[in-house]
Amino acid sequence: MLISGFERCEFGYVAQLDEELSEVLQRLLGETITVLDAPDEATVLSSIVGEEQYREEPDDPTLQTLLPPMSDDPLEAESLRALTEDSLRTEKSARLQMILTALREHMTGERKAVLVEDGEEWQWLSGLNDLRLVLAQRLGVGTPGWEVLEARVVKLLDTSSELIVTVDEVIAIIYLVVSWWQDSLLRAVDLSEGASSL
């Protein structure tokens, strides 16, 4: 599994990514886009003009993670969800689709590296964060069980031996890789913006 951090280039930021990891990320992105099931424009418009006053929290744990309540008050949370959920689903799906398209272009050889074009940095950072949240929810990040799993995975990554790993360990590896990749893009953006302000 090979991946490089993002670096500044003429048109934005580039990183290298091997085929195996690219395929895994594309699958995760596609699954998350499917779960978000972005509504069409008519549905978004009807929610904006107030045809629906209240909407309950979705049952799907992934959607609960990506679309958390916007208020501690249950009635206010349902009201805010009716106003914002469809547009949030659309925005999140579009960001994830942008990343998916870039990975596909790299896989098909249309681009020599994964490219984040100038102006797309924050959509990428938000999209990668949503992907991290989905993986974190699946892994129970923040729980004592996660700490044990994380320690095991870090040890796996530090060894060069080919060890048999569990499904959760594979997901945890992907979570750590996506977190690192997102951080590398953020650092590259910060460095570039810092240099341009001098």
Side-chain angles (χ1 to χ4, degrees), residues 14-187:
V14 290
Q16 297 297 331
L17 184 65
D18 71 17
E19 188 172 324
E20 179 187 15
L21 184 52
S22 181
E23 286 176 354
V24 170
L25 292 178
Q26 287 179 61
R27 195 166 36 239
L28 287 169
L29 287 161
E31 289 170 5
T32 307
I33 290 167
T34 300
V35 170
L36 279 167
D37 188 26
D40 59 29
E41 287 183 31
T43 308
V44 174
L45 184 60
S46 68
S47 68
I48 290 172
V49 296
E51 290 180 12
E52 183 182 15
Q53 290 188 329
Y54 300 99
R55 186 180 298 182
E56 293 181 3
E57 185 174 4
D59 293 329
D60 189 295
T62 300
L63 286 178
Q64 290 172 3
T65 299
L66 293 173
L67 305 165
M70 300 173 85
S71 171
D72 291 332
D73 177 80
L75 200 59
E76 185 178 9
E78 289 182 10
S79 176
L80 290 169
R81 185 174 294 280
L83 288 170
T84 61
E85 183 177 295
D86 290 335
S87 58
L88 284 174
R89 282 187 185 216
T90 301
E91 287 172 20
K92 287 176 182 287
S93 291
R95 289 193 294 250
L96 295 173
Q97 188 62 55
M98 176 185 291
I99 297 171
L100 182 57
T101 299
L103 295 183
R104 284 180 177 157
E105 287 175 351
H106 177 245
M107 279 274 290
T108 58
E110 290 178 49
R111 294 189 187 275
K112 291 182 181 178
V114 176
L115 173 66
V116 177
E117 295 184 21
D118 282 327
E120 294 181 348
E121 305 93 317
W122 297 105
Q123 290 99 314
W124 265 76
L125 288 166
S126 296
L128 289 173
N129 193 57
D130 281 341
L131 196 56
R132 282 182 64 251
L133 289 172
V134 169
L135 293 167
Q137 178 267 323
R138 167 69 173 82
L139 292 165
V141 171
T143 66
W146 162 247
E147 292 171 10
V148 173
L149 177 60
E150 182 183 26
R152 219 168 51 231
V153 166
V154 168
K155 190 177 282 188
L156 277 173
L157 292 172
D158 285 342
T159 62
S160 57
S161 61
E162 293 290 323
L163 297 174
I164 297 172
V165 294
T166 66
V167 171
D168 279 349
E169 287 169 347
V170 171
I171 295 170
I173 289 169
I174 300 302
Y175 170 78
L176 293 174
V177 167
V178 170
S179 299
W180 175 82
W181 214 32
Q182 180 194 28
D183 186 59
S184 82
L185 177 56
L186 184 57
R187 281 187 279 113

